[in-house]
């Protein structure tokens, strides 16, 4: 196998499996290539990806040494992506009754979902997360993409208990949008021991849902290390969660106008 082919195949394996350990010893045996040659290939890939801001490659030493790829994205590309989304979502015809913004087409776009998952995973990459938690149904695709880039499982909080979930723990909360009492439940088998959870959802108004998920996870003795949402409203400014990360922020929604801006980039600049 020529080196050019090795570099392509090795890069593909790393990028397609974010944060998954890739054993150089096993590849050396499978490809009939010296491990030292593969290590040199990894060094080239690491330098190229780092310089292009496409991610980082982490190497573990030892007889069974391997490598992991951590997703990344150039800052200029991230900014252009969020600005493009904000412009698209600011179209007046997206306003739904009740002053909601139509998101289904955007959250059904595989490229958008992959990029959102990448951006969220970059924000929480060093938090030791071992599970991503979301509430059915619109947050599932976002949470799945984020979980893929973090290489952790996903746990889905249900609005109604299901026999297929096995034993569950439930809680009641008051919805921030409807002001009605809602119920949510989570299967006992879905949360790992000593869980460090990242909550991911599509939209946040007052933060009641995220707060309810936090309270529910306390019943599992889980640590919530962060909350990430695709889009949050600017009002009310004080949410029911102490800290959260939003990619987009809605400043105004009316029958005539909807105003969406990139939140993550603006707030990072302010810090």
């Amino acid at each position: 196998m020529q080196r050019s082919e090795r570099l392509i195949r090795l890069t593909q394996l790393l990028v397609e499996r974010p944060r998954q350990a890739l054993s150089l010893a096993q590849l050396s045996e499978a490809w009939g290539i010296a491990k030292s040659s593969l290590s040199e290939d990894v060094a080239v890939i690491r330098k190229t990806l780092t310089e292009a801001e496409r991610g980082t490659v982490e190497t573990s030493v030892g007889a069974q040494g391997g490598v992991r790829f951590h997703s990344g994205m150039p800052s200029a590309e991230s900014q252009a992506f969020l600005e493009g989304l904000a412009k698209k979502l600011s179209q007046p015809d997206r306003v739904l009754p009740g002053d909601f913004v139509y998101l289904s087409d955007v959250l059904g776009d595989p490229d958008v979902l992959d990029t959102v998952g990448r951006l969220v995973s970059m924000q929480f990459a060093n938090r030791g997360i071992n599970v991503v938690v979301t509430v059915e149904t619109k947050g599932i695709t976002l949470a799945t993409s984020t979980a893929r880039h973090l290489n952790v499982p996903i746990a889905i909080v249900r609005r109604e208990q299901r026999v297929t979930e096995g034993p569950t723990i439930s809680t009641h909360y008051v919805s921030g949008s409807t002001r009605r009492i809602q119920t949510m439940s989570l299967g006992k088998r879905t949360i790992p021991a000593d869980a460090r959870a990242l909550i991911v959802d599509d939209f946040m108004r007052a933060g009641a849902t995220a707060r309810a998920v936090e309270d529910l996870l306390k019943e599992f003795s889980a640590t919530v290390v962060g909350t990430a949402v695709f889009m949050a409203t600017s009002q009310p400014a004080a949410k029911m969660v102490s800290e959260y990360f939003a990619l987009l922020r809605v400043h105004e929604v009316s029958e005539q106008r909807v105003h969406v801006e990139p939140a993550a980039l603006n707030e990072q600049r302010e810090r």
Side-chain angles (χ1 to χ4, degrees):
M1 184 187 300
Q2 295 183 352
R3 191 183 192 194
S4 58
E5 181 182 353
R6 286 203 319 269
L7 288 170
I8 293 172
R9 292 178 64 178
L10 188 54
T11 302
Q12 182 180 20
L13 286 173
L14 289 169
V15 172
E16 288 183 347
R17 305 175 185 180
R19 299 176 73 91
Q20 295 185 38
L22 190 63
S23 171
L24 293 185
Q26 292 179 3
L27 283 179
S28 174
E29 182 177 351
W31 292 355
I33 303 296
K35 187 178 175 183
S36 58
S37 297
L38 287 176
S39 296
E40 293 175 359
D41 294 341
V42 169
V44 172
I45 295 171
R46 179 190 295 111
K47 182 176 183 295
T48 302
L49 291 176
T50 300
E51 290 180 350
E53 297 184 67
R54 290 292 172 186
T56 58
V57 177
E58 172 188 273
T59 304
S60 56
V61 298
Q64 298 298 319
V67 292
R68 286 184 176 86
F69 169 72
H70 298 264
S71 300
M73 179 180 289
S75 55
E77 188 173 317
S78 301
Q79 180 175 351
F81 169 76
L82 292 178
E83 289 177 348
L85 277 182
K87 182 178 180 180
K88 185 173 185 177
L89 294 173
S90 292
Q91 297 170 354
D93 60 359
R94 287 189 170 273
V95 179
L96 300 174
D99 291 342
F100 290 97
V101 181
Y102 179 68
L103 299 175
S104 295
D105 60 334
V106 173
L107 298 184
D109 186 326
D111 290 333
V112 170
L113 293 173
D114 183 72
T115 303
V116 169
R118 187 186 305 271
L119 292 175
V120 174
S121 71
M122 289 166 56
Q123 182 72 18
F124 295 93
N126 301 316
R127 303 285 187 93
I129 294 164
N130 58 10
V131 64
V132 171
V133 181
T134 191
V135 180
E136 62 176 1
T137 57
K138 289 185 178 180
I140 293 177
T141 52
L142 293 169
T144 301
S145 178
T146 301
R148 174 182 177 272
H149 283 282
L150 289 172
N151 188 32
V152 299
I154 177 176
I156 302 173
V157 176
R158 303 292 183 181
R159 302 288 187 181
E160 297 181 359
Q161 293 186 17
R162 298 185 181 183
V163 175
T164 53
E165 295 292 320
T168 62
I169 295 178
S170 301
T171 189
H172 301 285
Y173 71 103
V174 178
S175 169
S177 56
T178 65
R179 306 306 301 172
R180 295 178 179 177
I181 296 177
Q182 306 280 355
T183 302
M184 61 172 57
S185 63
L186 184 60
K188 290 183 178 181
R189 298 183 181 183
T190 60
I191 300 297
D194 301 321
R196 292 181 59 81
L198 171 65
I199 300 171
V200 174
D201 209 352
D202 64 318
F203 192 82
M204 178 185 290
R205 189 183 296 269
T209 300
R211 176 60 181 272
V213 175
E214 284 188 5
D215 292 341
L216 181 58
L217 288 171
K218 289 178 182 178
E219 300 297 324
F220 292 82
S221 299
T223 300
V224 176
V225 299
T227 297
V229 295
F230 178 69
M231 188 160 65
T233 59
S234 58
Q235 297 298 326
K239 308 296 186 185
M240 297 179 68
V241 291
S242 58
E243 182 180 354
Y244 68 96
F245 172 75
L247 289 173
L248 299 169
R249 192 167 302 283
V250 187
H251 293 285
E252 179 185 352
V253 182
S254 65
E255 293 183 0
Q256 295 79 26
R257 187 170 188 262
V258 54
H259 179 202
V260 180
E261 288 186 346
L265 296 173
N266 291 341
E267 288 162 14
Q268 286 171 5
R269 291 191 193 103
E270 291 172 3
R271 295 191 190 105

